[in-house]
Amino acid sequence: MKVEGRIFHICTAFFFAAAILYGFWAKEPVGIVGLTLTGGLSLIIGSYFSFVARRVEERPEDNPDAEVSDGAGELGFFSPGSYWPIACAASAALAGFALAFFHIWLIVIAVVLVLLSVGGLVFEYHTAPDKD
């Protein structure tokens, strides 16, 4: 997580420097606000990564002397086959279509479908705790 934190802190410095330079050069308020807010958001993400990096064990990515074989092993659980992402994409497309033509009845249906499909994706492998 240290590498990711450094990357976002470098981006933060760039965005704030670009906002200052843009302020002197263009004197246009919308660009200054946009660059400043972008720098603030990247600062939040970089600070979070730096905070988490102190609380987790060191990963091979954080060790400059690491070998490729240090990162071998199980990476996590990935769904072998799920149809929920297709449902999420279809319902998001329907929501975009409904918003483009501004049909209120279709927007309501699309929002319900988006919520159902995202809920299905999130809780796909959720199991209730064992009752002993």
Side-chain angles (χ1 to χ4, degrees):
M1 302 296 278
K2 292 178 184 176
V3 174
E4 293 90 347
R6 282 191 206 118
I7 289 171
F8 275 99
H9 287 308
I10 290 168
C11 289
T12 300
F14 170 77
F15 288 131
F16 284 143
I20 292 168
L21 183 66
Y22 190 82
F24 286 123
W25 185 28
K27 293 184 178 35
E28 191 260 325
V30 176
I32 298 168
V33 170
L35 285 168
T36 304
L37 290 177
T38 304
L41 290 174
S42 65
L43 178 65
I44 291 171
I45 297 169
S47 299
Y48 172 76
F49 281 153
S50 298
F51 179 75
V52 169
R54 288 182 275 156
R55 289 174 172 34
V56 296
E57 65 273 356
E58 187 176 74
R59 302 177 307 157
E61 293 88 356
D62 297 330
N63 184 4
D65 298 326
E67 297 290 329
V68 174
S69 61
D70 292 340
E74 185 176 332
L75 297 177
F77 175 75
F78 299 97
S79 178
S82 175
Y83 294 108
W84 286 111
I86 297 170
C88 288
S91 59
L94 181 66
F97 180 79
L99 287 170
F101 290 103
F102 203 69
H103 293 299
I104 301 296
W105 60 275
L106 194 56
I107 292 173
V108 171
I109 292 171
V111 166
V112 169
L113 288 175
V114 165
L115 292 175
L116 287 174
S117 62
V118 168
L121 180 66
V122 168
F123 294 113
E124 182 174 13
Y125 292 105
H126 177 72
T127 57
D130 294 334
K131 296 178 182 176
D132 292 328

